[in-house]
């Protein structure tokens, strides 16, 4: 009964919602636009881009929004699952989504990445009925972080936009700075102040969990862009000449 209750509570809390758009990507440590020179015609590059898209429709691409040979433009919606990591994404599935725009011109192409969002849900492939109590407690602890973030900071949604993630991360960074500043003003010799210091340290540790979780998603955007770029570049540089 306890196992079922914990699992159902986690599933209930991780309900779905609506996507919110984003604009600026200054927190990402990779470029979101790449222009590459290559010896190939616009039409040939567009065919290469189409071939790559068709080969990835069951892996990374969720939809082809635009495919215009006349302008040499291809716009794709993509989704990638982040790797499992103990303590953050072991009992859950975090997916990152983004738009990829490929513009083809004679002897060059441009790839732009935008509209970054993430989704999280519990991993339904895990048979919780066979998990021990310690594993169930690990699962509960891991899922408490996205549940708490969704409840307190994302309007009970599990679709989080880039701008939202940055704003929430900044909120917790500012809170931690405030708690640290308070600690420096407390007199450690005073018993009451010692309790306040301990309380602030606990608050800081809790906020660090939230910050690390959000950073994991941001780094996931970066790794996904890098992987997509390598894969597309490989396809785009195929030439049918002798």
């Amino acid at each position: 009964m306890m196992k079922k209750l914990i699992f159902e509570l986690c599933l209930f809390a991780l309900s779905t919602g609506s996507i919110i758009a984003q604009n600026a990507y200054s927190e990402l440590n990779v470029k979101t636009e790449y222009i590459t020179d290559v010896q190939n015609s616009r039409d040939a590059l567009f065919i290469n881009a189409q071939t790559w898209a068709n080969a990835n429709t069951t892996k990374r691409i969720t939809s082809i929004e635009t495919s215009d040979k006349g302008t040499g433009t291809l716009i794709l919606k993509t989704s990638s699952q982040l790797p499992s990591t103990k303590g953050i994404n072991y009992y859950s599935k975090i997916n990152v989504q983004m738009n990829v725009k490929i513009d083809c011109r004679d002897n060059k192409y441009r790839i732009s990445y935008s509209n970054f969002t993430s989704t999280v849900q519990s991993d339904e492939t895990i048979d919780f009925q066979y998990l021990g109590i310690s594993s169930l407690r690990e699962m509960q602890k891991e899922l408490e972080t996205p549940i708490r973030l969704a409840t307190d900071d994302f309007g009970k949604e599990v679709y989080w936009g880039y701008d939202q993630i940055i704003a929430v991360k900044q909120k917790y960074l500012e809170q931690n700075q405030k708690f640290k500043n308070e600690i420096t003003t407390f007199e450690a010799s005073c018993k009451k102040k010692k309790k306040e210091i301990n309380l602030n340290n606990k608050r800081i540790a809790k906020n660090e969990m939230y910050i690390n979780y959000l950073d994991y998603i941001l780094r996931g955007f970066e790794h996904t862009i890098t992987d997509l770029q390598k894969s597309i570049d490989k396809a785009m540089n195929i030439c049918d000449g002798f």
Side-chain angles (χ1 to χ4, degrees), residues 21-239:
Q22 328 74 39
N23 296 308
Y25 313 118
S26 59
E27 287 269 340
L28 298 183
N29 296 316
V30 294
K31 294 191 296 183
T32 56
E33 181 176 289
Y34 297 81
I35 298 175
T36 304
D37 294 325
V38 60
Q39 293 299 312
N40 223 340
S41 67
R42 182 186 70 177
D43 289 348
L45 289 171
F46 183 79
I47 290 172
N48 287 349
Q50 268 193 325
T51 300
W52 179 85
N54 291 334
N56 284 273
T57 50
T58 59
K59 300 176 184 177
R60 296 166 166 155
I61 297 171
T62 57
S63 65
I64 299 176
E65 300 293 292
T66 299
S67 181
D68 190 335
K69 186 176 181 180
T71 62
T73 298
L74 199 65
I75 300 177
L76 315 166
K77 286 184 178 291
T78 69
S79 181
S80 302
Q81 186 175 319
L82 298 187
S84 296
T85 301
K86 197 73 171 178
I88 290 183
N89 197 36
Y90 188 79
Y91 293 102
S92 62
K93 287 184 177 180
I94 300 175
N95 287 276
V96 294
Q97 299 84 29
M98 62 188 71
N99 287 359
V100 180
K101 183 180 181 182
I102 305 175
D103 291 307
C104 302
R105 300 291 183 268
D106 286 338
N107 300 319
K108 70 172 58 177
Y109 62 91
R110 177 178 63 193
I111 303 177
S112 307
Y113 301 89
S114 62
N115 294 333
F116 298 98
T117 58
S118 70
T119 61
V120 58
Q121 63 184 35
S122 56
D123 188 348
E124 296 181 9
T125 64
I126 297 175
D127 193 341
F128 70 96
Q129 297 184 64
Y130 295 98
L131 292 178
I133 294 298
S134 61
S135 295
L136 281 170
R137 294 194 185 282
E138 287 179 6
M139 181 180 75
Q140 182 184 25
K141 183 179 179 181
E142 177 187 315
L143 296 181
E144 277 177 355
T145 297
I147 289 170
R148 184 53 56 193
L149 284 168
T151 302
D152 292 348
D153 300 295
F154 294 96
K156 298 183 180 179
E157 308 284 359
V158 292
Y159 284 78
W160 303 346
Y162 174 88
D163 282 350
Q164 293 175 298
I165 293 171
I166 297 302
V168 173
K169 176 186 171 183
Q170 185 61 32
K171 165 192 161 182
Y172 287 114
L173 286 170
E174 290 175 358
Q175 282 186 3
N176 274 4
Q177 188 58 54
K178 175 177 173 288
F179 294 145
K180 290 174 183 178
N181 290 341
E182 288 177 352
I183 289 174
T184 61
T185 64
F186 293 152
E187 295 180 10
S189 59
C190 175
K191 186 175 181 180
K192 181 180 178 182
K193 296 301 182 182
K194 285 182 179 179
K195 289 182 179 179
E196 291 177 356
I197 289 173
N198 289 335
L199 180 60
N200 272 17
N201 281 327
K202 289 180 181 179
R203 289 168 174 165
I204 290 170
K206 188 175 181 181
N207 283 356
E208 285 292 340
M209 288 174 54
Y210 299 151
I211 293 167
N212 290 339
Y213 192 90
L214 297 173
D215 271 335
Y216 178 79
I217 295 174
L218 292 173
R219 302 295 78 81
F221 289 143
E222 295 174 1
H223 296 320
T224 301
I225 290 173
T226 299
D227 289 343
L228 286 171
Q229 188 64 31
K230 286 180 180 178
S231 181
I232 298 172
D233 280 340
K234 184 177 180 180
M236 295 297 281
N237 281 280
I238 294 175
C239 180

